[in-house]
Amino acid sequence: DTGVSQNPRHKITKRGQNVTFRCDPISEHNRLYWYRQTLGQGPEFLTYFQNEAQLEKSRLLSDRFSAERPKGSFSTLEIQRTEQGDSAMYLCASSQIEAFFGQGTRLTVV
Amino acid sequence: RKEVEQDPGPFNVPEGATVAFNCTYSNSASQSFFWYRQDCRKEPKLLMSVYSSGNEDGRFTAQLNRASQYISLLIRDSKLSDSATYLCVVNLIGGGSQGNLIFGKGTKLSVKP
C-alpha cells in the first residue's frame, strides 16, 4: 500500500495523559499536513511541513501540541496533558500538488 | 470573514437531478483550488482540481472565478452514491501563509431515490 498511513487508528486516553500519533506520507511527497476534524466540521488546519521544515502552525494550536518531521519523511504529532476538548479525528495528508489523506487517528479523551 | 466559506446544506435532491455548490475564498493570492468528497466517518478524498479554464470529469464540472473569488462544483444526473459532504479547498499563499491547504466546512448532499 503506497498511500498515507496513520497510526494508531484509534486512541483512548485519560485526561492529562500525553499521546503521540504517527503519519507516514506517500514517499515522493515533500509536503505534509496535520488537520483536526470534529463531527459536522471541515478539517481544521493544525500545521504544515515542507520536507523537514515546519513552515506554519495554526494559532489555534496551543503549546500542548507539537509536531515533528525529523528527516522529511514520517511525522509525529504529540499532544501533552490531553483535555476532553482534544477529542477529535486527527488527519494527516501529504502532497506534491494535490493532497492525499490517511485514514486518521480518532482520539477520545475520557 | 472566514478564509473559505461554503453553504453547509444539506442539499436534498432526487436521483437524476443537477445540483451546484459554491464556495468563496477571501485571499486573492490563493493559487490552487480543489474539491474533495468526504463520506461519513471516512477521510476526505480528492474529487477534482479546479483549473482557471474550468474542467469536467464525467458528470462533475468545476469552475473558478478569480475576479469574484469563488469556485463552483456542478453535479449532473446525480446518483445515490453521490451522497456525501463536499469540501472546498484552497491553497493559501500570502498574508503570512506559505502554502497550507484550507478547507471549507463542507456542503452535505443527500440524493434520494
Side-chain angles (χ1 to χ4, degrees):
Chain A
D1 185 355
T2 57
V4 179
S5 177
Q6 291 189 246
N7 288 287
R9 293 286 309 279
H10 303 274
K11 178 71 177 179
I12 300 174
T13 191
K14 290 183 179 179
R15 188 174 52 186
Q17 297 294 304
N18 299 344
V19 293
T20 300
F21 309 142
R22 177 178 170 125
C23 173
D24 287 273
I26 294 170
S27 58
E28 62 268 26
H29 286 181
N30 57 2
R31 296 181 183 178
L32 186 148
Y33 307 83
W34 284 100
Y35 293 86
R36 177 173 62 192
Q37 188 174 28
T38 53
L39 199 61
Q41 301 295 314
E44 178 183 45
F45 171 74
L46 294 179
T47 191
Y48 157 52
F49 291 85
Q50 180 138 332
N51 300 311
E52 66 274 11
Q54 188 174 20
L55 295 188
E56 282 191 67
K57 187 174 174 180
S58 169
R59 286 170 289 180
L60 298 172
L61 217 60
S62 76
D63 291 343
R64 298 183 298 104
F65 287 72
S66 63
E68 294 183 341
R69 194 182 183 196
K71 297 182 180 178
S73 57
F74 74 92
S75 176
T76 57
L77 176 70
E78 182 183 17
I79 309 173
Q80 297 182 324
R81 304 182 303 282
T82 52
E83 301 172 356
Q84 285 187 319
D86 297 332
S87 295
M89 175 73 87
Y90 289 83
L91 293 162
C92 174
S94 70
S95 78
Q96 291 279 46
I97 298 174
E98 296 159 339
F100 296 87
F101 281 82
Q103 292 180 298
T105 295
R106 184 170 297 280
L107 173 66
T108 303
V109 182
V110 297
Chain B
R1 182 181 175 186
K2 293 180 181 175
E3 290 169 322
V4 180
E5 291 199 71
Q6 295 181 250
D7 181 343
F11 284 58
N12 297 309
V13 303
E15 266 188 297
T18 295
V19 60
F21 307 136
N22 288 326
C23 166
T24 58
Y25 60 95
S26 59
N27 190 325
S28 60
S30 300
Q31 293 189 347
S32 304
F33 309 89
F34 310 92
W35 282 101
Y36 279 73
R37 170 197 169 123
Q38 187 171 27
D39 294 288
C40 189
R41 303 183 76 83
K42 299 283 191 180
E43 75 276 17
K45 293 190 175 175
L46 178 68
L47 181 64
M48 57 197 306
S49 302
V50 186
Y51 303 124
S52 296
S53 55
N55 49 303
E56 187 174 309
D57 182 2
R59 297 181 294 108
F60 298 84
T61 301
Q63 296 207 316
L64 167 63
N65 185 321
R66 283 190 185 271
S68 301
Q69 294 181 210
Y70 80 79
I71 307 145
S72 64
L73 177 69
L74 183 76
I75 305 175
R76 290 182 299 278
D77 187 24
S78 53
K79 312 288 184 192
L80 296 176
S81 57
D82 294 334
S83 298
T85 296
Y86 291 83
L87 298 160
C88 173
V89 183
V90 173
N91 184 315
L92 196 61
I93 305 281
S97 179
Q98 300 184 52
N100 62 337
L101 295 173
I102 301 297
F103 282 73
K105 292 192 173 185
T107 299
K108 187 170 182 179
L109 171 66
S110 181
V111 181
K112 305 292 187 186

